[in-house]
Amino acid sequence: MIAATAELGYAQVMVADVVKRARVSRKTFYVHFADKEECFLAANDLGVEQMFTRIAVEVSAAAEGQDGPDAVVRLRAGLRGYLCFLSDEPEFARTFLVEGLAAGPRALERFEAAHRRFADLTRRWYERALPEHEGWPAVPPDAYTAIVGALHELVTVRVRGGRTAELPTLEDTALRIHLALLTGWPTKPDPGGR
């Protein structure tokens, strides 16, 4: 399903395209899935879980052999895991970030849930980092959503353009976005409301 969606676009994918690639019969397909949408959702869910697992593995590897890496090292490792996973899985990257948005309301709900999960992961990272970096300010909850939106746009432009292999080169930019939006937050409100 992921390969067919990446190649043809969700709207054009037929069950026949999926069973041909999977080398199974239509009957076998319908034993597992009620329809194309259900298959798409299952495939997308599996890819999302693999993506978050890759992020966790990279962060964990960064922590090995240390008393606990600096917060920035942990953040960089997580971003590397995300970018490299999408680069290694270009069909999933296109399906998740581009084609999945046209797969209907249930797919959009799943996409939004993944973004909330990224925002929550960033929030938890930042809360854990604050004791290590006393000068870092508290930030409003919407800042985490803004970071996810910025990272999404940065990545999706490459995926839409067929340049998924370039994603690992965005590691420094993604890190700077996170740090700029979080650690550069003003400590006093602007009296002009700007």
Side-chain angles (χ1 to χ4, degrees):
M1 175 55 84
I2 295 296
T5 302
E7 180 185 339
L8 304 171
Y10 180 79
Q12 301 304 315
V13 170
M14 307 294 278
V15 170
D17 300 311
V18 177
V19 299
K20 180 181 176 184
R21 282 173 172 79
R23 296 184 180 141
V24 298
S25 68
R26 289 179 76 84
K27 182 178 178 182
T28 300
F29 176 91
Y30 287 111
V31 165
H32 297 284
F33 306 106
D35 55 21
K36 172 178 103 168
E37 180 188 34
E38 190 176 294
C39 180
F40 176 84
L41 294 173
N44 190 64
D45 289 349
L46 179 61
V48 167
E49 288 310 311
Q50 290 175 348
M51 180 174 60
F52 278 103
T53 297
R54 176 79 173 267
I55 292 167
V57 165
E58 290 288 335
V59 172
S60 194
E64 280 185 28
Q66 299 181 21
D67 293 336
D70 179 82
V72 176
V73 172
R74 289 191 306 270
L75 175 59
R76 181 182 285 282
L79 292 169
R80 182 179 310 117
Y82 171 67
L83 295 168
C84 287
F85 178 82
L86 293 177
S87 178
D88 293 345
E89 302 291 341
E91 291 172 332
F92 173 75
R94 179 154 193 89
T95 299
F96 175 62
L97 296 169
V98 179
E99 295 299 331
L101 300 178
R106 291 173 64 201
L108 184 57
E109 286 172 14
R110 299 276 213 315
F111 178 78
E112 291 170 349
H115 270 214
R116 286 191 302 273
R117 192 169 167 187
F118 276 120
D120 186 59
L121 191 62
T122 304
R123 179 192 55 77
R124 286 185 285 124
W125 164 79
Y126 193 68
E127 289 172 354
R128 182 177 172 200
L130 284 174
E132 295 176 24
H133 298 274
E134 293 179 13
W136 288 7
V139 297
D142 287 340
Y144 305 111
T145 303
I147 288 169
V148 172
L151 185 59
H152 169 75
E153 185 62 22
L154 183 70
V155 169
T156 303
V157 164
R158 266 72 177 188
V159 173
R160 265 195 222 108
R163 299 171 15 227
T164 309
E166 294 176 13
L167 293 178
T169 67
L170 299 176
E171 184 180 313
D172 285 337
T173 303
L175 182 68
R176 287 175 184 265
I177 288 169
H178 279 72
L179 294 176
L181 287 175
L182 295 171
T183 67
W185 208 264
T187 54
K188 294 181 184 177
D190 180 356
R194 295 182 291 259

